[in-house]
Amino acid sequence: MCVTCGCGPDEVLISDAHGAARNGGGGHHHPAHGHDHPHEHVHDEHVHDGHIHDTHGHAHSHGELVHAELHPHAHATPGEQRLVELEDRILAKNDAYAARNRTRFGAGGVFALNLLAGPGAGKTTLLVETLKALGGRVPAAVIEGDQQTQNDAERIRATGTPAVQVNTGKGCHLDAHMVGHALDELPLPPGGLLFIENVGNLVCPAAFDLGETRRVTLLSVTEGEDKPLKYPNIFETADLVLVTKVDLLPHLDIDMAAIERNIARVNPTAAILQCSSRGVPGLKAWLDWVADQRRQLLGTLAAEAERRAQALRASAGQAWGANGEATT
């Protein structure tokens, strides 16, 4: 259970890429797994009315308590110290799964994007229109995160793109463990694109590394200028902040310059782009950014592979003498 926000250990359900329930029944269930990586389902604590209790199942946490106070203050109570230690332990476990996902992406040259936003910012519409614009020229797949329903995954599949739906139940975010299982259901051609649409939430998903190549936070112009200041964590971890629904600006009393100033105040290094999902022209800057970032990734991976190949060729060129010693 999330020790700060209270989302419960409800069953996580994962479909296959065509929407069918796995194992012929209720989809992929946590905590029952059949994978070759270890699962550490420990008895973890949660907080209720100031007391720490044990719960059995997946323990998820959020970054608000895991910051500079990982070394508890001298005035912290034993319960508070245990809470901070628990959060640190949970995020470390998530980071280990994220590292496995990242290695998997790198081995296949997969460019993985983690899309975060509040409900209604336009994540699914952006993905649908992006996939239509790509027109199958680049292999792509999608992981959809929602508490319930397969509605968004069905919209993605209608474009001809394979999509796995992860229903988190009472959970308020995806974690790296869920994504790892979803990947088992997805065809990921070498050099392809993977879009991960996180659960609509401006707080919790920011704390969880999924192993993504780049993190993108969406902010619609209808949400107002001050969202980056109210919910800084989800913006300060972004590589790109995508301001959506800009086609509505003529009908709104919104200061776009103020939105961009507030984003830069929270995250001065993030790229900021404006987009509209109404037609390819409104998507151009976004599509160009994705293409450029993917190109950089593949170039880096190709250069690394060439360095390894050169080292192997050099090793293969060595001769061995009769005494077994290598000579050149």
Side-chain angles (χ1 to χ4, degrees):
M1 174 176 285
C2 287
V3 294
T4 53
C5 76
C7 70
D10 211 16
E11 286 187 325
V12 174
L13 304 179
I14 300 177
S15 76
D16 68 13
H18 306 289
R22 291 185 79 252
N23 302 324
H28 181 98
H29 294 262
H30 282 234
H33 304 289
H35 296 266
D36 60 0
H37 56 266
H39 294 249
E40 301 173 0
H41 300 286
V42 299
H43 288 271
D44 291 308
E45 300 94 345
H46 72 282
V47 174
H48 180 68
D49 294 334
H51 300 285
I52 296 180
H53 307 271
D54 288 340
T55 61
H56 183 72
H58 285 281
H60 298 167
S61 71
H62 303 273
E64 293 174 348
L65 296 182
V66 185
H67 47 66
E69 296 181 3
L70 288 178
H71 303 287
H73 293 309
H75 61 266
T77 67
E80 288 171 338
Q81 292 179 16
R82 288 181 67 196
L83 178 59
V84 172
E85 291 167 1
L86 171 63
E87 296 245 356
D88 185 29
R89 192 164 69 244
I90 293 166
L91 286 181
K93 192 180 300 182
N94 179 81
D95 288 347
Y97 286 119
R100 294 178 188 178
N101 293 345
R102 189 167 283 112
T103 298
R104 189 171 181 176
F105 296 145
V110 173
F111 183 57
L113 288 160
N114 182 8
L115 304 184
L116 305 96
K123 298 189 300 299
T124 309
T125 299
L126 174 75
L127 283 181
V128 167
E129 297 306 317
T130 296
L131 294 167
K132 288 180 181 177
L134 292 175
R137 293 186 299 276
V138 178
V142 176
I143 296 174
E144 282 288 342
D146 283 301
Q147 288 189 309
Q148 299 293 342
T149 83
Q150 291 215 16
N151 294 350
D152 288 352
E154 289 170 358
R155 291 176 62 188
I156 298 298
R157 295 181 195 121
T159 70
T161 305
V164 166
Q165 181 73 56
V166 180
N167 288 140
T168 60
K170 294 180 182 178
C172 52
H173 58 272
L174 294 177
D175 63 27
H177 197 188
M178 298 175 196
V179 169
H181 284 300
L183 292 174
D184 294 337
E185 305 299 324
L186 272 177
L188 290 175
L193 283 168
L194 174 67
F195 296 99
I196 305 169
E197 182 179 342
N198 220 310
V199 179
N201 185 336
L202 281 171
V203 180
C204 312
F208 289 82
D209 181 7
L210 305 181
E212 68 267 16
T213 315
R214 295 288 183 269
R215 181 173 287 202
V216 180
T217 296
L218 279 65
L219 173 67
S220 74
V221 294
T222 58
E223 294 178 81
E225 297 96 339
D226 60 352
K227 279 296 186 294
L229 305 181
K230 289 182 175 180
Y231 302 93
N233 289 357
I234 206 161
F235 291 94
E236 65 189 11
T237 61
D239 298 294
L240 168 69
V241 177
L242 196 60
V243 183
T244 62
K245 304 185 183 181
V246 295
D247 51 293
L248 297 177
L249 282 173
H251 311 288
L252 300 171
D253 184 17
I254 293 293
D255 185 344
M256 177 60 73
I259 292 178
E260 296 189 351
R261 282 197 306 272
N262 289 337
I263 294 170
R265 179 176 167 185
V266 171
N267 185 345
T269 64
I272 303 172
L273 295 176
Q274 301 178 18
C275 82
S276 165
S277 295
R278 291 184 175 273
V280 173
L283 293 171
K284 186 179 186 308
W286 156 247
L287 293 171
D288 289 347
W289 183 87
V290 172
D292 181 63
Q293 295 291 311
R294 175 173 173 263
R295 187 162 42 245
Q296 290 182 37
L297 170 69
L298 294 180
T300 299
L301 292 175
E304 292 173 353
E306 180 57 29
R307 285 193 293 271
R308 289 195 298 271
Q310 289 177 357
L312 290 172
R313 284 193 290 268
S315 179
Q318 290 181 332
W320 275 262
N323 60 0
E325 293 183 355
T327 61
T328 56

